[in-house]
Amino acid sequence: MLLNILFFFGLFLVSGTTAYAQNGIGIPAVINYTKFNYNGGSQNWGIGQDKQGVMYFANNEGLLRFDGSHWKLYPLPNNTVMWSLAVSDNGKIYVGGQDEIGYFSPGPNGMLTYTSLNNKIPEQYKKFADIWHIAILGNRVFFQADDRIFEYDEKNVHTYMANSQWLFIERAGESIYASDRVTGLLQLNDNQWTPVADGKKLAGVLIAGMFQMGKDSIFIVTRTNGIFLLHNNLITLQNNNRQNNLYINSAAKISEDEFIIATSSAGCLVVNIKKDTWESFSDEQGLQNNNALSVFMDAGKNLWTGLNSGISYINYNSAIRYLQIGKTNNLPGYSTRILNDKLFVATSNGLYSAPLANNGNHVTKNDFSLVKNTENREAWNLNEVNGHLLLGNDNGSYEIQGNEARLLSGGAGSWYFLPLSSVYPAQDIIVGTYYGLKRLLYEGNDFRDEGKMDGMNDSYRFMALDHNGDVWASHPYRGIYRFSLSQDKKKYTARLYTLNDGLPSTLNNFVFKIKNQIIFATARGLYEFNPQTNKFSPSPFLSDVFGRMKVRYLTEDKEGNIWFCNEKGTGVAHFSTADAVSAPKVTYFPELTGQLLPKFENIYPYNKENVFIGSERGLIHLDYQKYSSVKPGLTVFLGLVKAIGKTDSTIFGGYGGTDKQVLQLPSAYNAFHFEYSSPSYEFQKNIEYSYQLEGYDNDWSPWDPKTEKDYTNLSNGEYTFKIKARDNQNNESPVVSYSFVINAPWYKTIWAILCYISIFAGLLFMMNKHQKNKFLSQQKKFEEEQKRLKYIHHLELEKNEKEIIKLQNEKLEQEVFIQKKELANASMHLMEKDDTLTKIKEKVSRLNNDTTNNNDIKSITDLIKDTEKNNANWEVFAAHFDELNDGFLNKLKKQYPQLTNSDLKVCTYIKLNLTTKEMAQLLNITVRGVEVSRYRIRKKIGLQTEQSLSNFLNQI
């Protein structure tokens, strides 16, 4: 019988001191969101989740949406309180408020839009009050008010009025159940509410939740009357079901073994029906307050609770949990060991222990008790030696026996226990103390203090034994010590290694034994000591894993994996035994960032399921096997795309898929804001994102935990924004993309371009015409200028010609002057001729008187000779005269060959404007003879009487 299979559990509320058995070692992390985080009302009455993983909350001020990074509030039309919600398989979010029923669904732009169903309610049923609960079965949605239940079948709304008062409605399995104050529990069959056979037991009982556990059993959690089981039509109250003063507001199923209840004063309680345990989540475990109104388990099997003030997320399915040590303080954990079914934790206030065997390894801080004789002292280190647990604290060395510490060696605080043999039982144990080394001797299943060893007095917190039996120890600021022990182990000699020996620094060096090798953690990575060179050098087999990182802590588990703390964080290098060639896989735990004890880091890998890590506030428990197991597929959610121009416009709200018709946007929207997240709420600290805007970015961005991206001053064109996520184990999500187009501004449209072409062509034409006109104008100006220049040139030529003519005239004048001079000379010769002829006459006259005078005859002969010379002078005169008068004599000879030389002489003298008397003298004739000669010449040339001979000759 199921009731015999199920363990009956009890719920006890005892103020302050009640011990709660927890489901697993420690408590999971709790993340709190206040109304200042989500900008909504304080109270949250209902919780749901869609297939994308997005969370929804029925809040006082409307519907709250949370995608892991961003909150969004959607008020109801009448701005009333939202009491209830339920998410259907088709993505619609059905909600109920005050006098309001309806649903939110994606609109055309992917934004959630509200659709009211009030208009589908028959007129006579439209006046109602609050909707307290909503249940969905297939395509049927039920809204429960006090006096009626509305059923919506995606077309119409049907109304079921209460017999007395509807108290509750819920889906359990494949059935819809409702509670009536008088009738009790009813089941909907063929559109009829029929009482459950044993349902009268719940008449008047307020139900907080119903859910199916197993194939045919339904648990009914009431608000104040306990928990009932519906099985085989029988309703039975569970045994030992005492709640005392608890008031339960809500309940939800977690698994076939567990469910969670929300109480008004004790927070949330997780009940395991098989183990008969329950786990408390209240303000002591991190909740904001203890008044829980609603609870919900999400797709990742983690818990959400809507509180009277705020929302709390309980990372219930996490592989990382937290152990608080001590009842009043969260003490830092320096060291951890499990021995004889007990968990021991060394803290700043002493050594604490908690039993594991009797509680199935479910440990809370209330299970810890202080080990006697260790209180109020720093407990530094725990080590199991020869099956015994040794403790080093600031008073000395202790052996832990049961729940009491026995002092082995006092006088100086102890840091570290180092057995000198790897074969157990080890006889000699070296103890690193504040002031040098001590030795413990193990004989007869007991430890004996052999006192302080002779040697250098210094503080040795980290030590390791090499193959030669030498002990290596690190000092925080001096370097590395190497101790050689004497044969009797009573003294030791020390050699200090520093920068001169290959260490990168004398500061912050630590020594560990890993893979049977002595490893030195330095400021520049992991080093080893080379005995051949007597120098330190980077570790050949670990440098590939850790590089030059500053490592602060190393330890090796039973399977050969190396757990470490370095400047990047805390992690493990997993060495696969099946593949010794491949490099180890390194896994970091970003959830632990900032929680470990600086300079006192410690990790205790007890086994795969139990790894204990000391923190500033207690102890961290890591289930490494669960952590490293295959996680659900990582997804990324593009929650918002906003286009920004003169005003902001949301163009995509995260719903309906991103592969719809590409949106065309005006050119004014050239800036965009993208919001994205991964709805993997348990891994939020581990997730990074990479994005790319195709059409703008050339490649994917570096990985970054930011969940928003802005672009500004985008030009027109086609763009696709792509986003992907990855976790700390490098698992990547599928890429989500959103495409959009920024249209060209009006001045870049085809019509504008055609207009530009037309304008450009017109401008070209106008420019061409202008250029042509300009060219013609320039040509005209050029021609005018040429004319002007030509005219100027002509003037200059004329001027030059005039100058030349002037010069020629001056030359001619000079020549005329010369000719005149010569003519004058000729005239003078002619005059002299006349004188000669006169003299001849006189001589001849004398000869007539005296014929005997020979001298006179000779004198006449000479005069004749002179006359011949004068005739020669005439020839010269005629030649010069022709040159000056354009060949006058030659022309006259040609025209009038009948003229004699005497006639020509007369014509010449007439041309020279000589008087008749002057001509008579030159011709040696009388004036009458000259007149006769002139007459004779007129006759020869045929000159008329009225014509002047002088004018005629001047015209030739």
Side-chain angles (χ1 to χ4, degrees):
M1 185 175 180
L2 181 63
L3 296 181
N4 294 327
I5 297 174
L6 299 176
F7 288 94
F8 298 135
F9 50 87
L11 305 177
F12 301 96
L13 182 65
V14 181
S15 103
T17 59
T18 304
Y20 297 109
Q22 304 291 316
N23 183 15
I25 295 180
I27 60 174
V30 176
I31 301 174
N32 293 311
Y33 303 99
T34 70
K35 64 179 182 179
F36 302 106
N37 296 123
Y38 54 73
N39 293 321
S42 297
Q43 296 170 312
N44 296 277
W45 303 97
I47 308 173
Q49 185 180 31
D50 65 17
K51 290 184 177 180
Q52 294 184 90
V54 179
M55 298 298 302
Y56 302 94
F57 303 87
N59 184 264
N60 277 359
E61 296 185 7
L63 178 69
L64 273 177
R65 186 191 81 175
F66 182 51
D67 60 13
S69 299
H70 308 96
W71 293 91
K72 177 71 174 176
L73 179 66
Y74 301 88
L76 287 175
N78 54 10
N79 291 317
T80 62
V81 174
M82 185 179 292
W83 296 113
S84 56
L85 70 79
V87 182
S88 66
D89 293 337
N90 60 12
K92 291 181 178 179
I93 304 145
Y94 291 93
V95 298
Q98 293 177 336
D99 197 32
E100 183 66 46
I101 63 172
Y103 62 86
F104 287 89
S105 62
N109 61 349
M111 289 289 294
L112 278 185
T113 58
Y114 181 71
T115 302
S116 177
L117 297 177
N118 286 17
N119 59 341
K120 294 184 178 294
I121 299 174
E123 194 64 33
Q124 64 272 27
Y125 300 117
K126 282 190 174 182
K127 291 184 179 181
F128 59 96
D130 301 293
I131 302 296
W132 300 110
H133 302 94
I134 302 174
I136 300 176
L137 180 63
N139 63 348
R140 304 169 71 184
V141 185
F142 300 88
F143 301 87
Q144 178 249 316
D146 286 336
D147 60 342
R148 69 198 70 189
I149 292 176
F150 297 115
E151 179 189 349
Y152 173 61
D153 59 6
E154 297 186 350
K155 292 182 181 180
N156 302 305
V157 173
H158 307 282
T159 307
Y160 302 96
M161 299 303 294
N163 291 334
S164 58
Q165 180 185 1
W166 293 113
L167 300 178
F168 183 77
I169 191 170
E170 185 60 276
R171 170 184 174 175
E174 295 302 318
S175 299
I176 295 291
Y177 295 90
S179 172
D180 181 79
R181 182 175 295 276
V182 174
T183 310
L185 188 66
L186 299 97
Q187 183 178 1
L188 184 64
N189 294 310
D190 297 328
N191 297 324
Q192 295 291 327
W193 290 102
T194 58
V196 174
D198 208 14
K200 195 70 173 177
K201 289 183 179 179
L202 298 178
V205 174
L206 298 177
I207 299 175
M210 292 179 63
F211 36 83
Q212 182 172 311
M213 304 279 278
K215 293 183 179 180
D216 54 1
S217 298
I218 295 174
F219 276 80
I220 305 168
V221 180
T222 68
R223 294 186 182 271
T224 57
N225 296 77
I227 299 175
F228 293 82
L229 177 64
L230 172 59
H231 179 70
N232 292 333
N233 292 324
L234 294 177
I235 297 176
T236 55
L237 179 66
Q238 301 303 285
N239 293 346
N240 298 323
N241 190 5
R242 299 189 303 272
Q243 297 179 160
N244 295 330
N245 295 324
L246 282 182
Y247 185 88
I248 300 176
N249 290 313
S250 178
K253 177 182 176 181
I254 297 177
S255 67
E256 297 300 327
D257 299 332
E258 293 178 321
F259 61 86
I260 182 172
I261 59 177
T263 74
S264 61
S265 58
C268 298
L269 304 171
V270 175
V271 181
N272 189 305
I273 60 175
K274 286 189 175 180
K275 295 180 180 179
D276 194 17
T277 61
W278 54 305
E279 184 175 3
S280 173
F281 294 101
S282 63
D283 54 1
E284 289 188 3
Q285 286 76 35
L287 257 62
Q288 298 177 77
N289 57 76
N290 289 335
N291 190 351
L293 303 177
S294 57
V295 287
F296 180 81
M297 187 192 74
D298 65 18
K301 299 189 181 301
N302 295 298
L303 303 176
W304 296 83
T305 175
L307 303 173
N308 191 57
S309 180
I311 298 169
S312 290
Y313 169 73
I314 304 170
N315 200 354
Y316 188 71
N317 198 35
S318 174
I320 298 176
R321 291 191 168 222
Y322 298 86
L323 273 167
Q324 298 172 330
I325 312 300
K327 294 182 181 299
T328 57
N329 300 308
N330 268 333
L331 303 173
Y334 291 123
S335 184
T336 309
R337 284 295 183 273
I338 292 178
L339 185 67
N340 300 327
D341 294 328
K342 276 190 177 183
L343 175 65
F344 293 90
V345 183
T347 74
S348 59
N349 191 47
L351 180 66
Y352 286 81
S353 69
L356 296 177
N358 296 331
N359 56 20
N361 294 346
H362 307 302
V363 180
T364 71
K365 75 173 184 176
N366 293 315
D367 294 318
F368 282 98
S369 59
L370 188 64
V371 175
K372 190 177 179 181
N373 299 327
T374 66
E375 60 272 9
N376 301 321
R377 290 189 178 275
E378 299 277 1
W380 298 120
N381 186 36
L382 289 168
N383 199 359
E384 182 184 351
V385 179
N386 300 333
H388 297 262
L389 186 64
L390 300 182
L391 167 68
N393 70 5
D394 63 354
N395 188 49
S397 301
Y398 290 81
E399 179 187 0
I400 307 305
Q401 297 176 339
N403 204 41
E404 183 176 344
R406 180 177 70 90
L407 181 65
L408 298 177
S409 174
S414 298
W415 291 115
Y416 197 85
F417 299 97
L418 179 66
L420 293 181
S421 173
S422 58
V423 178
Y424 282 70
Q427 185 177 6
D428 294 299
I429 296 94
I430 301 297
V431 183
T433 73
Y434 293 178
Y435 311 108
L437 300 180
K438 284 189 173 184
R439 184 167 68 99
L440 296 177
L441 183 65
Y442 182 74
E443 287 182 342
N445 201 31
D446 198 5
F447 293 94
R448 184 173 72 247
D449 181 20
E450 293 296 312
K452 187 175 182 300
M453 300 174 66
D454 291 337
M456 180 176 289
N457 292 330
D458 216 331
S459 179
Y460 307 121
R461 183 170 155 225
F462 294 91
M463 298 192 302
L465 183 71
D466 67 13
H467 300 295
N468 300 319
D470 290 339
V471 177
W472 294 86
S474 61
H475 192 276
Y477 55 86
R478 288 179 184 159
I480 301 290
Y481 283 107
R482 182 181 184 180
F483 303 134
S484 297
L485 307 180
S486 63
Q487 190 68 28
D488 59 4
K489 308 295 189 299
K490 291 184 178 181
K491 61 182 179 179
Y492 60 94
T493 58
R495 160 78 189 274
L496 179 63
Y497 293 90
T498 62
L499 290 169
N500 297 328
D501 303 298
L503 289 174
S505 173
T506 57
L507 303 176
N508 297 319
N509 296 300
F510 307 95
V511 58
F512 305 98
K513 191 165 188 178
I514 303 295
K515 301 289 185 183
N516 212 26
Q517 299 283 339
I518 305 299
I519 301 297
F520 302 91
T522 74
R524 299 182 64 183
L526 300 179
Y527 277 61
E528 293 185 30
F529 180 75
N530 189 332
Q532 281 74 33
T533 62
N534 206 33
K535 297 281 186 180
F536 292 87
S537 60
S539 173
F541 82 101
L542 288 180
S543 292
D544 292 340
V545 180
F546 297 100
R548 300 172 69 88
M549 288 186 182
K550 184 178 179 181
V551 179
R552 301 188 298 268
Y553 181 83
L554 289 172
T555 190
E556 185 178 2
D557 65 18
K558 297 175 183 177
E559 296 182 350
N561 303 316
I562 300 175
W563 296 78
F564 62 87
C565 299
N566 62 17
E567 57 189 354
K568 189 176 179 180
T570 303
V572 59
H574 181 78
F575 290 82
S576 174
T577 55
D579 185 3
V581 178
S582 301
K585 177 184 176 182
V586 177
T587 301
Y588 283 92
F589 308 103
E591 300 91 341
L592 308 182
T593 301
Q595 299 187 49
L596 275 63
L597 283 166
K599 300 186 182 302
F600 288 92
E601 296 88 354
N602 64 93
I603 302 174
Y604 176 50
Y606 180 71
N607 54 31
K608 286 184 178 181
E609 295 82 9
N610 297 281
V611 179
F612 297 91
I613 304 167
S615 77
E616 292 181 336
R617 297 174 62 83
L619 197 64
I620 300 171
H621 177 264
L622 168 66
D623 186 339
Y624 178 59
Q625 181 167 327
K626 182 177 182 179
Y627 191 96
S628 58
S629 62
V630 178
K631 294 180 174 63
L634 190 66
T635 61
V636 65
F637 175 72
L638 182 60
L640 181 69
V641 180
K642 183 182 291 185
I644 303 170
K646 292 182 179 179
T647 59
D648 295 353
S649 176
T650 299
I651 59 176
F652 180 68
Y655 296 92
T658 59
D659 54 353
K660 291 187 174 183
Q661 183 177 0
V662 177
L663 184 64
Q664 307 276 336
L665 294 168
S667 60
Y669 292 100
N670 62 353
F672 289 83
H673 174 75
F674 298 90
E675 293 182 1
Y676 42 85
S677 182
S678 177
S680 302
Y681 305 96
E682 65 271 36
F683 309 124
Q684 279 300 309
K685 290 184 179 180
N686 305 5
I687 297 174
E688 296 177 318
Y689 303 89
S690 180
Y691 54 82
Q692 181 186 18
L693 183 61
E694 286 186 353
Y696 183 83
D697 295 325
N698 294 325
D699 203 354
W700 287 88
S701 71
W703 293 100
D704 192 281
K706 293 181 180 178
T707 58
E708 296 181 3
K709 176 59 183 174
D710 291 284
Y711 289 92
T712 58
N713 297 322
L714 295 178
S715 59
N716 60 287
E718 297 182 7
Y719 296 93
T720 299
F721 181 76
K722 300 192 296 184
I723 183 70
K724 59 183 178 181
R726 75 171 183 183
D727 59 20
N728 63 314
Q729 298 190 48
N730 293 321
N731 299 314
E732 291 190 11
S733 71
V735 175
V736 172
S737 61
Y738 180 81
S739 298
F740 58 94
V741 174
I742 302 177
N743 290 328
W746 64 266
Y747 51 84
K748 288 186 179 181
T749 61
I750 185 65
W751 297 109
I753 293 172
L754 291 175
C755 183
Y756 298 150
I757 294 173
S758 301
I759 293 173
F760 183 68
L763 287 175
L764 285 178
F765 175 76
M766 296 297 293
M767 288 176 64
N768 183 51
K769 186 174 181 181
H770 174 73
Q771 288 296 110
K772 188 177 289 185
N773 292 335
K774 185 177 179 181
F775 174 75
L776 292 174
S777 175
Q778 289 178 345
Q779 188 177 23
K780 185 177 180 181
K781 287 182 180 180
F782 177 76
E783 289 175 352
E784 291 177 352
E785 182 68 16
Q786 289 297 108
K787 286 181 181 180
R788 188 181 69 84
L789 293 174
K790 190 174 181 181
Y791 175 72
I792 293 172
H793 181 65
H794 179 69
L795 292 176
E796 289 179 350
L797 287 177
E798 285 184 350
K799 182 179 179 182
N800 292 336
E801 286 178 358
K802 287 181 179 179
E803 291 290 332
I804 293 170
I805 291 171
K806 181 179 178 183
L807 292 173
Q808 288 177 346
N809 290 337
E810 289 176 352
K811 183 179 179 182
L812 288 174
E813 288 176 355
Q814 185 68 26
E815 289 177 351
V816 169
F817 175 77
I818 294 170
Q819 293 294 331
K820 285 183 177 180
K821 187 177 180 181
E822 290 178 351
L823 285 174
N825 290 333
S827 297
M828 289 179 67
H829 285 300
L830 289 173
M831 294 293 291
E832 290 175 355
K833 175 184 174 186
D834 290 339
D835 289 340
T836 302
L837 288 175
T838 301
K839 288 177 180 181
I840 291 171
K841 287 178 179 180
E842 290 176 356
K843 291 287 183 183
V844 171
S845 295
R846 290 174 183 173
L847 285 176
N848 290 329
N849 296 322
D850 186 5
T851 56
T852 62
N853 192 348
N854 292 331
N855 288 331
D856 289 336
I857 294 171
K858 186 179 184 296
S859 176
I860 293 168
T861 303
D862 291 335
L863 287 172
I864 293 169
K865 288 179 180 180
D866 292 336
T867 303
E868 289 175 353
K869 289 180 181 179
N870 288 336
N871 289 333
N873 288 336
W874 164 251
E875 295 296 331
V876 174
F877 174 82
H880 285 296
F881 185 85
D882 261 1
E883 287 180 6
L884 290 172
N885 294 277
D886 197 20
F888 172 76
L889 293 174
N890 289 329
K891 291 179 181 179
L892 198 59
K893 286 179 182 180
K894 287 181 181 180
Q895 292 180 13
Y896 307 103
Q898 65 272 26
L899 295 176
T900 65
N901 286 334
S902 297
D903 294 334
L904 293 174
K905 287 182 180 181
V906 173
C907 291
T908 301
Y909 294 149
I910 294 170
K911 183 79 171 174
L912 289 173
N913 293 323
L914 297 179
T915 63
T916 303
K917 185 179 182 181
E918 289 174 340
M919 287 188 291
Q921 186 180 1
L922 289 172
L923 292 172
N924 199 22
I925 61 176
T926 64
V927 172
R928 180 64 181 168
V930 174
E931 293 292 335
V932 172
S933 295
R934 288 173 65 97
Y935 177 79
R936 193 169 42 245
I937 292 169
R938 291 175 64 91
K939 287 290 184 179
K940 287 180 179 181
I941 62 177
L943 191 64
Q944 299 295 325
T945 305
E946 64 273 10
Q947 286 183 304
S948 173
L949 178 59
S950 178
N951 291 337
F952 175 78
L953 292 175
N954 285 331
Q955 292 177 355
I956 295 176

